[in-house]
Amino acid sequence: MKITFLKWGAASLALLVSAAGATTALAQDQSSQSSPAAATPAPEPEKKADPSIAQRKENQQDRIANGVKSGQLTAGETANLEKKEAAINKETRTDRAANGGKLTSAEKAQVNRQQNQMSKQIYADKHNANTAHYGNNKVGQRRENQQDRISQGIKSGQLTPGETAKLEKQQQGINKQVASDRKANGGTLTASEKKQVNKEQNQASRNIYKKKHNAATQPNAKKP
């Protein structure tokens, strides 16, 4: 009886040990299945790059073209704006030539500051009291046609800022002459004055055509 009791005790002990091991393994398996997988960190949102020098230049020209087309910018205002844009472009070309075709970080920052100032001036000129009034007459219509052609040339890139400044300065001179003649004649123009204005606009028209069809264009200029 004693020996039999020992045998049963050993067997019972083995069964208990085996059961405990199985329980532990099961618990570990269930724990590993129930624990959520490590969350993949969400990618950081991509930062938008600042507009390039060329893109800012194109944006400014589009804004000027729209102002010319709408009459918000007078010929004098446009000539002044484009003269400053031409100066920025010249400075940029000089810096690129000195640095193997590239701009340094400091030079890019400088151009950006200059374009910020230009942007403010474009807005101010487009929203001040000065507007281009063409008048419901042949002289006014001719003047509006010239501005439309200049506006199209700016927007397409056929006219550079320097060319536009010269064309608008010419238009400004004609406009001042017309305003002076009208003031001297009670608001009207004589037949000879109209003839003179038409002659000057013919010359301006040829200048617009030449500058729009020469080799000088803005980068990424669209074909006419």
Side-chain angles (χ1 to χ4, degrees):
M1 293 297 291
K2 187 176 181 181
I3 296 174
T4 302
F5 175 76
L6 290 173
K7 287 182 178 179
W8 277 105
S12 298
L13 182 59
L15 287 172
L16 288 172
V17 173
S18 177
T23 301
T24 302
L26 179 60
Q28 290 176 346
D29 184 61
Q30 289 177 342
S31 176
S32 63
Q33 289 179 358
S34 60
S35 60
T40 304
E44 294 184 3
E46 184 179 351
K47 295 181 180 179
K48 292 184 179 180
D50 293 333
S52 66
I53 299 297
Q55 186 61 54
R56 284 212 74 178
K57 176 182 173 182
E58 185 175 349
N59 291 345
Q60 303 286 52
Q61 290 303 100
D62 286 345
R63 292 174 63 201
I64 292 173
N66 292 336
V68 174
K69 179 75 175 177
S70 67
Q72 290 175 283
L73 291 176
T74 65
E77 289 172 336
T78 304
N80 185 49
L81 290 172
E82 291 288 30
K83 184 179 179 180
K84 291 183 177 181
E85 277 292 322
I88 295 174
N89 295 342
K90 183 178 181 181
E91 179 185 334
T92 302
R93 287 194 302 270
T94 301
D95 290 340
R96 287 188 189 280
N99 297 316
K102 297 181 179 180
L103 295 177
T104 65
S105 297
E107 289 166 345
K108 288 179 181 179
Q110 173 66 14
V111 173
N112 199 49
R113 285 193 296 270
Q114 291 172 330
Q115 289 290 20
N116 286 343
Q117 185 60 42
M118 278 296 305
S119 185
K120 292 176 183 177
Q121 185 168 349
I122 292 171
Y123 181 89
D125 287 348
K126 288 176 70 173
H127 293 84
N128 61 16
N130 299 324
T131 56
H133 298 291
Y134 302 114
N136 188 22
N137 51 65
K138 290 184 178 180
V139 172
Q141 187 61 52
R142 190 85 195 270
R143 176 184 170 191
E144 182 176 1
N145 291 343
Q146 303 287 51
Q147 291 301 97
D148 286 348
R149 292 174 63 201
I150 292 172
S151 171
Q152 186 276 332
I154 298 171
K155 203 168 186 66
S156 68
Q158 292 172 276
L159 291 176
T160 66
E163 290 174 331
T164 303
K166 291 178 181 179
L167 291 174
E168 289 288 31
K169 187 175 181 180
Q170 185 177 23
Q171 286 297 311
Q172 182 185 21
I174 296 174
N175 295 340
K176 284 184 176 180
Q177 178 185 330
V178 171
S180 178
D181 290 341
R182 287 187 186 281
K183 186 177 181 180
N185 298 317
T188 62
L189 295 175
T190 65
S192 61
E193 289 168 344
K194 290 179 181 178
K195 185 176 180 180
Q196 176 63 24
V197 171
N198 195 54
K199 182 178 179 181
E200 292 174 359
Q201 287 290 22
N202 286 343
Q203 181 60 47
S205 183
R206 287 191 288 270
N207 287 342
I208 293 171
Y209 181 88
K210 288 178 181 178
K211 293 185 185 302
K212 288 177 69 174
H213 293 84
N214 62 13
T217 58
Q218 296 182 49
N220 303 319
K222 306 174 186 70
K223 292 184 178 180

